[in-house]
Amino acid sequence: MTADLIGRLREVVGPAGVLSDPADLAGYLSDWRNAYTGTAAAVVRPGSTEEVAGVVARCSEAGVVVVPQGGNTGLCGGAVPDSSGRQVVLSLTRMRRIRDLDAANQTVTVEAGAVLRSVQEAAAAAGLLFPLSLGAEGSCTIGGNLATNAGGTGVLRYGTMRDLTLGLEVVLPDGRIWNGLRGLRKDNTGYDLKQVFIGAEGTLGVITAAVLKLFPAVRSRATAWAALPDPQAAVDLIGVLRELAGDRLTGLELMSRRSVEFVLRHSAGARDPFGDPHPWYALVELSDTLPVAGLDAVIESALGEAFERGVVLDAVVASSSAQAAALWGLREGISVAQNHEGPSLKHDVSVPISRIPAFVERTDRALEAAVPGIRIVTYGHIGDGNLHYNLSKPVGGDDDEFRARAGALARVIYDSTCAFDGSISAEHGLGQSKREIVADYKDSHELDLMRGLKQLFDPRGLMNPGKVLPGL
Ligand code: FAD
Ligand code: S2G
Ligand code: ZN
């Protein structure tokens, strides 16, 4: 990139806003998993929407690619540059203001670089709830959550980021600013354009702000850990909980024994709630926005009924918020714990809930046939039909040999996913890691329409190319 463009970018964001010294760039060039590392001509850190627009316009004039980046916790390599050294990483992390919280309208207007946890805290301070919740919430940003249509543990009750958003402000690839920051729950004036940018992973424009929905705060909560014989029991448990707790069911996570074993092995202080090991576990959470005294009794009676029906083998209800946090810690610790067991080949899939048991049985069988001794870590948001199928090498196996099998093993999982009418990416997106393989699993007309949108919004292909769409 010419020094002239660096100079012009500095005119927009100020000298401190343009990093070009390799030592300053390092933290922006590798993804969270260190699976992808690129090089950048510069990292630019604008402080306002107008500065983002100025940066994008100058890069567009110079024909230079822009890679939007938030917290860089994405798991598909979508936020890092390629190895050409000619791309500009546009980091939104300076734009973290909460512009407005309208309690009566139950909305909050935030800038894209706001860290998710800061928005959760601002809502709580106003006696309200922003319900998106995921393991990376201390680092991920609202802009990244929107660009990946993030899911997490609250989807069961509140939906994904797509369902939590009322309005967007976006800088388009030519530098124009689209102000769609409306806080309306009803607005039927043509196409719902915000939904095009949500989940586009930075390939259609840079999200600079959003109007998000807020909800009544949770005033009572009950958390339990249940032992299950198999995934069918988990599906049956959903039925029992829906029957006996209704809308109060706000969290339901499934974990295989191995996923919990890894946490018990690598996470200091982690304790198995039961003496004996069980093949599967469910983390159940009920909550209510009223100060209901007997929620513990509701969860106890529901799990008691599930026990009577042979769905649950054992259960423990958290007797304090500290114990509830410890149970969530067992769940949220899986991703990090697995990294201690060598390469973790991640697959984030969804299938219709009713088909999960047959899907797990077929997929496990096929994986074990492909790599005898493979260690399958299955866990996730079963209430949404979303499982994380993360693979570790056989004990004593070779890291590089296992990594070399990644493509074949992914196909085993994705072939099985699609045999059960599922999706090869439930919540993490496609990024770099799944953009080529998606062509084998997605309707060709759908891909053509997606390419058409890319051509319309970004005809010169300067907005985060090499992500999401095969071949672009
Ligand atoms: P980044 O990683 O910075 O970027 C992600 C993508 O969005 C990239 O393509 C980037 O170009 C684009 N982008 C970023 N900001 C903007 C913007 N302002 N405008 C346009 N495009 C932009 N994800 C889930 O859905 N559910 C989970 O349960 C979950 N758990 C996780 C647990 C751990 C421990 C980790 C490390 C990650 C987890 N994730 C999960 C994945 C990740 O946290 C989410 O995808 C998150 O939404 C990414 O936000 P970010 O700000 O880090 O985005
Ligand atoms: C989760 C996190 C990432 C992983 O924990 O819910 O989305 O390791 C996942 O797959
Ligand atoms: Zn997840």
Side-chain angles (χ1 to χ4, degrees):
M1 178 161 68
T2 61
D4 169 52
L5 178 60
I6 292 244
R8 297 185 65 215
L9 294 176
R10 286 204 167 102
E11 283 165 15
V12 176
V13 299
V18 182
L19 309 177
S20 52
D21 180 325
D24 297 332
L25 301 185
Y28 298 88
L29 304 180
S30 295
D31 70 317
W32 185 82
R33 299 172 49 208
N34 284 320
Y36 298 95
T37 297
T39 54
V43 170
V44 186
R45 306 183 66 229
S48 69
T49 300
E50 291 68 27
E51 287 186 7
V52 172
V55 167
V56 171
R58 280 159 183 72
C59 288
S60 172
E61 285 154 21
V64 169
V65 160
V66 170
V67 179
Q69 188 178 100
N72 203 11
T73 68
L75 294 167
C76 303
V80 293
D82 68 8
S83 54
S84 69
R86 288 196 300 273
Q87 299 184 343
V88 165
V89 173
L90 191 156
S91 170
L92 282 298
T93 47
R94 277 184 59 210
M95 290 180 63
R96 41 181 72 209
R97 286 172 47 234
I98 293 175
R99 291 185 186 168
D100 175 50
L101 193 151
D102 182 337
N105 195 42
Q106 298 220 331
T107 52
V108 61
T109 305
V110 304
E111 294 188 335
V115 173
L116 172 53
R117 181 167 293 148
S118 72
V119 178
Q120 294 167 342
E121 289 167 351
L128 293 165
L129 170 72
F130 180 65
L132 188 78
S133 177
L134 44 113
E137 60 196 23
S139 321
C140 64
T141 64
I142 291 300
N145 298 151
L146 286 158
T148 59
N149 183 29
T153 52
V155 170
L156 185 64
R157 175 74 177 72
Y158 297 99
T160 65
M161 202 54 183
R162 193 177 291 290
D163 306 306
L164 301 175
T165 307
L166 291 174
L168 281 189
E169 179 186 75
V170 180
V171 172
L172 302 173
D174 59 10
R176 285 177 295 159
I177 300 171
W178 167 49
N179 180 353
L181 285 176
R182 292 182 288 273
L184 304 172
R185 284 169 176 79
K186 287 187 159 180
D187 174 8
N188 265 345
T189 51
Y191 303 131
D192 188 355
L193 289 182
K194 65 177 179 295
Q195 295 301 352
V196 175
F197 295 100
I198 298 174
E201 300 182 55
T203 59
L204 300 181
V206 182
I207 297 168
T208 47
V211 181
L212 304 174
K213 291 178 190 171
L214 296 176
F215 296 81
V218 167
R219 290 206 173 81
S220 43
R221 198 185 295 271
T223 307
W225 184 266
L228 308 170
D230 52 33
Q232 181 58 53
V235 175
D236 298 340
L237 178 60
I238 299 173
V240 174
L241 292 167
R242 286 259 190 250
E243 182 191 329
L244 300 177
D247 261 355
R248 288 171 167 167
L249 177 61
T250 50
L252 185 62
E253 300 287 312
L254 177 68
M255 288 132 296
S256 65
R257 172 66 197 174
R258 179 174 290 117
S259 51
V260 173
E261 240 159 35
F262 280 6
V263 179
L264 296 172
R265 187 178 303 162
H266 298 294
S267 183
R271 291 278 171 277
D272 188 336
F274 304 123
D276 306 324
H278 293 284
W280 292 87
Y281 301 95
L283 179 60
V284 182
E285 183 156 285
L286 306 186
S287 66
D288 200 306
T289 56
L290 298 176
V292 173
L295 221 42
D296 282 359
V298 174
I299 206 168
E300 270 165 25
S301 105
L303 291 170
E305 177 60 26
F307 182 80
E308 290 306 315
R309 297 185 195 177
V311 168
V312 155
L313 303 171
D314 197 353
V316 60
V317 177
S319 54
S320 66
S321 53
Q323 197 184 7
L327 296 175
W328 275 104
L330 281 176
R331 162 44 183 102
E332 294 292 10
I334 298 169
S335 190
V336 172
Q338 184 166 15
N339 291 337
H340 293 277
E341 296 286 335
S344 161
L345 306 182
K346 294 182 183 293
H347 309 86
D348 154 46
V349 296
S350 54
V351 296
I353 294 172
S354 52
R355 309 187 72 182
I356 281 185
F359 164 68
V360 168
E361 203 224 327
R362 167 181 158 158
T363 308
D364 285 5
R365 195 171 348 103
L367 287 168
E368 276 142 11
V371 177
I374 192 168
R375 292 180 293 163
I376 305 166
V377 174
T378 312
Y379 71 101
H381 325 285
I382 186 167
D384 322 326
N386 175 192
L387 288 181
H388 298 301
Y389 244 94
N390 295 348
L391 310 176
S392 290
K393 65 184 182 182
V395 175
D398 176 75
D399 286 5
D400 293 337
E401 209 175 281
F402 187 62
R403 282 194 192 94
R405 305 295 304 272
L409 291 167
R411 285 197 178 280
V412 168
I413 294 175
Y414 296 154
D415 288 352
S416 187
T417 302
C418 289
F420 287 89
D421 302 322
S423 167
I424 70 163
S425 185
E427 57 178 8
H428 297 161
L430 299 170
Q432 298 184 50
S433 54
K434 293 171 238 178
R435 79 176 188 109
E436 293 305 344
I437 201 169
V438 74
D440 297 340
Y441 295 100
K442 206 165 178 71
D443 177 87
S444 59
H445 300 312
E446 204 168 353
L447 288 170
D448 286 347
L449 289 170
M450 288 163 61
R451 288 191 187 97
L453 279 174
K454 176 70 175 176
Q455 182 57 31
L456 173 70
F457 282 96
D458 179 24
R460 297 169 60 206
L462 295 177
M463 195 55 72
N464 215 9
K467 308 334 186 323
V468 180
L469 284 171
L472 281 188

